[in-house]
Amino acid sequence: MAPRAFWKGYLKLSLVTCPVAMSPAISQEDKVRFRTLNGKTGNPVVSRYVDAVTGKEVSEDDEVKGYPRGEDDYVMLEDDEIEAVALESTRTIDIETFVPRETIEWIWYDSPHFLVPNDTVGEEAFSVIREAMASTGTVGISRLVLYRRERAVMLEPRGKGIVLWTLRYGDEVRNEAEYFSDLKQAKPDSKALALVKTLIKERTKAWDPKMADDPVQAKLLDIIAAKKKGRKRPAARRAQPKTSGNVINIMDALRKSIKAEGKGK
C-alpha cells in the first residue's frame, strides 16, 4: 500500500489545472537510528540552545536568524521578514518553462517525489500534460515551497505518473572546470584501452537494486538482535591489509586481472 501523500495542491499549465498529490520517492524509515544516551544512567540526552557568551539557555521565542557581517557581528532577521520574500502560493505547481530533458545534468538533481492526480476529474488534464512532455522529450520547470524553502523543481514524465525532482540551488553546484581543467588530455594506450574494455565486458550485467544495499545496516541489525537476546557481541572488525605503494606496470596488472576474471567463472 502506497504511503499517504505529504503534499496536496494543483498542477497548472496556462489555463489547465488539476489537483495532484505528492509523496517522496525515497524513504529513510527503515534506516537504523540511534538516540544519544547517558552511558551511566541509560537515560536519553536532550539538546538545548545555549547563549555562547552568557551560558544561559535560550527560549524558543527568543531565537532569531542571524547573518554574519563580521567577527561576532550579525544582521538579525525575524521569521516574518524571511517569509515575506517566499512564494505567495505554496500549493500550486505552475509550469513556467519546458526544457529538453537531456540538457539538465544529473548533478542538479536533488530529491525525487512521485506526483499523481488527486481525483478522477483531473486525471485527463494530468495525463495530457504528462504525455505531451514525454512525446516532445521535455521536462517542466517550476518553483515550489517544499520543506520550508522555495526551490526550483523539474517535472519528468515516468510511466503513468510524473516524477518531481527538487533541483539544487545554483550556488550549491561547483564548477567542474576547477577540478578537471588541469588534467592531461593524453590519448590512452590502445592495448591498455582494449584490455580495460575486456574487463568491462566481463563485469557488465543488468542493474539490480540489490547492488545499492547497505551491508553496514544489515550488520548493525545483527548486533542489535544479538544484544536483545543477550548474546555475545560479534568479533571486532579485522584491520584492512595495507596496499603496496610500489608502482606497477599497468599492462601486467590488466593481463592478470583478465586472467583472474576467467578463473572466477
Side-chain angles (χ1 to χ4, degrees):
M1 183 177 180
R4 291 179 60 185
F6 87 110
W7 184 95
K8 292 181 179 180
Y10 296 89
L11 176 63
K12 183 174 183 292
L13 174 59
S14 189
L15 300 178
V16 180
T17 304
C18 64
V20 290
M22 181 163 53
S23 301
I26 55 178
S27 172
Q28 300 290 330
E29 291 181 1
D30 295 330
K31 286 291 183 185
V32 174
R33 299 181 187 278
F34 297 103
R35 283 287 305 271
T36 301
L37 307 178
N38 182 335
K40 293 181 179 180
T41 65
N43 298 328
V45 174
V46 297
S47 60
R48 294 185 175 93
Y49 284 108
V50 176
D51 189 300
V53 177
T54 67
K56 295 181 179 180
E57 186 175 336
V58 180
S59 69
E60 188 174 344
D61 291 340
D62 291 331
E63 294 173 13
V64 296
K65 300 290 190 298
Y67 181 84
R69 60 182 174 187
E71 187 174 355
D72 297 327
D73 185 19
Y74 301 88
V75 175
M76 290 192 290
L77 296 174
E78 302 289 343
D79 287 343
D80 56 352
E81 292 178 300
I82 297 173
E83 291 171 1
V85 299
L87 283 177
E88 291 184 7
S89 173
T90 62
R91 293 294 167 186
T92 301
I93 306 169
D94 190 353
I95 306 179
E96 306 161 353
T97 311
F98 294 91
V99 301
R101 169 66 180 78
E102 68 277 4
T103 60
I104 303 182
E105 296 184 273
W106 63 269
I107 199 168
W108 291 96
Y109 295 1
D110 185 19
S111 298
H113 304 76
F114 294 137
L115 194 67
V116 297
N118 199 28
D119 65 23
T120 54
V121 176
E123 285 185 8
E124 183 179 2
F126 181 91
S127 63
V128 167
I129 295 172
R130 181 198 64 219
E131 290 304 311
M133 288 193 294
S135 63
T136 56
T138 59
V139 291
I141 303 296
S142 183
R143 299 195 71 83
L144 186 64
V145 174
L146 280 178
Y147 311 111
R148 300 185 68 181
R149 294 190 70 183
E150 181 183 332
R151 321 182 63 98
V153 296
M154 180 189 87
L155 289 86
E156 177 185 20
R158 185 176 179 88
K160 297 179 181 179
I162 291 174
V163 175
L164 181 146
W165 283 90
T166 56
L167 299 177
R168 300 188 189 280
Y169 295 101
D171 57 4
E172 291 180 337
V173 178
R174 293 178 172 176
N175 185 355
E176 64 185 47
E178 296 176 8
Y179 303 87
F180 299 158
S181 59
D182 292 335
L183 297 179
K184 297 179 181 179
Q185 293 289 340
K187 192 173 182 180
D189 180 81
S190 59
K191 292 181 179 179
L193 188 62
L195 290 174
V196 172
K197 286 182 178 179
T198 300
L199 271 177
I200 291 174
K201 184 177 180 181
E202 291 285 344
R203 297 191 175 198
T204 298
K205 58 180 68 175
W207 162 254
D208 186 337
K210 290 183 179 179
M211 294 177 183
D213 280 352
D214 183 354
V216 173
Q217 170 149 307
K219 291 174 182 176
L220 282 173
L221 290 172
D222 288 341
I223 294 173
I224 292 168
K227 281 183 171 287
K228 284 181 178 179
K229 295 179 180 179
R231 297 202 302 264
K232 291 182 179 180
R233 62 190 299 175
R237 179 180 173 185
R238 292 182 179 179
Q240 294 292 323
K242 293 183 178 179
T243 57
S244 172
N246 296 332
V247 178
I248 59 174
N249 183 288
I250 188 171
M251 293 298 291
D252 289 343
L254 287 171
R255 291 190 183 102
K256 288 178 181 178
S257 297
I258 292 172
K259 187 176 181 181
E261 291 287 323
K263 289 181 178 178
K265 290 187 174 182

